Amino acid sequence: MKTIWVIGGPGCGKGTQCDLIIKKYGFLHLSSGDLLRDEVTSGSSRGASLQELMTKGLLVPTDIVLDLIKEKMEKARIEGTTKTGFLIDGYPRELEQGILFKKNVCSVDLILFFDVSNETMSKRLLGRAAVSQRADDNVETIKKRIETFNEKNGKIVEYYKDKIVRINAERSVEEIFNEVCTVLDRLLA
């Protein structure tokens, strides 16, 4: 089973590509945001403490996020809910998270980096904001999210240069997915 991280700035198209990858290859999709939300709604004591952190706008400690990912991966292995492996979306957000992932969970086989310009990210997020009314899709917040991503992501790209495949995500969904398929077909061969 393979473990793949999917990284890229806000609005780069990670979600769209993950949906297509899952449909074609059968990876189990793990999104740290979804896992956190699921834990909060579970009613567990851990979920209650996460709710408190998230309500205050504080970052959830990396070890908790890693525990959730690891538990989900172990459960999937036991239940046999994936034969292909794991597609981990939007993780790591900073280098230290990646290093801890290898130490506490497993090593990563491949990192798909959906690369777009700051201008494209901003344009896509502003377009999404007009439709979705998401609170974090406004000009100031978008600018800050892009700056933070660029600062943190550069370290990840440098550290994992032998595992990263940089995908130009400025193209059509189909063109991007065709390149992703070429990469994944090679990995899974």
Side-chain angles (χ1 to χ4, degrees):
M1 277 199 266
K2 301 294 183 185
T3 299
I4 299 173
W5 292 342
V6 178
I7 62 173
C12 74
K14 286 187 306 284
T16 300
Q17 292 300 320
C18 282
D19 290 345
L20 294 169
I21 293 167
I22 293 157
K23 198 179 201 176
K24 179 169 181 174
Y25 294 96
F27 282 94
L28 180 65
H29 183 229
L30 300 175
S31 154
S32 55
D34 290 347
L35 291 172
L36 290 168
R37 285 184 286 278
D38 290 348
E39 188 66 24
V40 167
T41 58
S42 76
S44 71
S45 59
R46 180 168 62 183
S49 63
L50 289 174
Q51 175 68 49
E52 193 177 323
L53 283 173
M54 290 159 51
T55 303
K56 291 177 181 171
L58 301 171
L59 288 177
V60 174
T62 298
D63 58 328
I64 294 174
V65 176
L66 278 177
D67 285 347
L68 291 170
I69 291 171
K70 187 176 182 175
E71 289 164 18
K72 192 79 169 178
M73 288 172 77
E74 286 171 356
K75 185 177 183 216
R77 282 189 185 104
I78 291 165
E79 294 174 351
T81 48
T82 177
K83 300 278 183 270
T84 317
F86 305 97
L87 192 64
I88 303 177
D89 179 2
Y91 190 93
R93 294 197 187 272
E94 52 192 27
L95 180 56
E96 295 71 29
Q97 291 178 336
I99 293 168
L100 285 171
F101 186 95
K102 181 175 184 182
K103 182 179 170 207
N104 299 332
V105 182
C106 67
S107 59
V108 64
D109 296 291
L110 175 73
I111 304 168
L112 293 173
F113 170 28
F114 292 102
D115 195 12
V116 296
S117 69
N118 293 347
E119 295 73 27
T120 298
M121 283 188 269
S122 187
K123 195 168 76 179
R124 287 179 182 174
L125 291 173
L126 288 169
R128 183 172 80 188
V131 177
S132 72
Q133 306 294 308
R134 272 181 52 168
D136 60 347
D137 284 346
N138 63 65
V139 175
E140 248 344 278
T141 310
I142 287 169
K143 187 175 174 219
K144 183 70 183 147
R145 286 172 64 201
I146 292 170
E147 283 172 13
T148 302
F149 168 76
N150 286 330
E151 176 192 320
K152 305 280 187 194
N153 195 62
K155 293 175 185 167
I156 295 168
V157 170
E158 179 57 32
Y159 187 84
Y160 289 103
K161 58 183 169 273
D162 57 326
K163 296 201 183 234
I164 284 207
V165 174
R166 188 183 293 254
I167 307 255
N168 172 0
E170 300 275 352
R171 301 167 294 165
S172 73
V173 169
E174 296 76 23
E175 289 172 306
I176 296 166
F177 188 60
N178 285 338
E179 185 174 345
V180 167
C181 290
T182 301
V183 171
L184 292 180
D185 290 346
R186 242 190 335 247
L187 176 72
L188 300 172

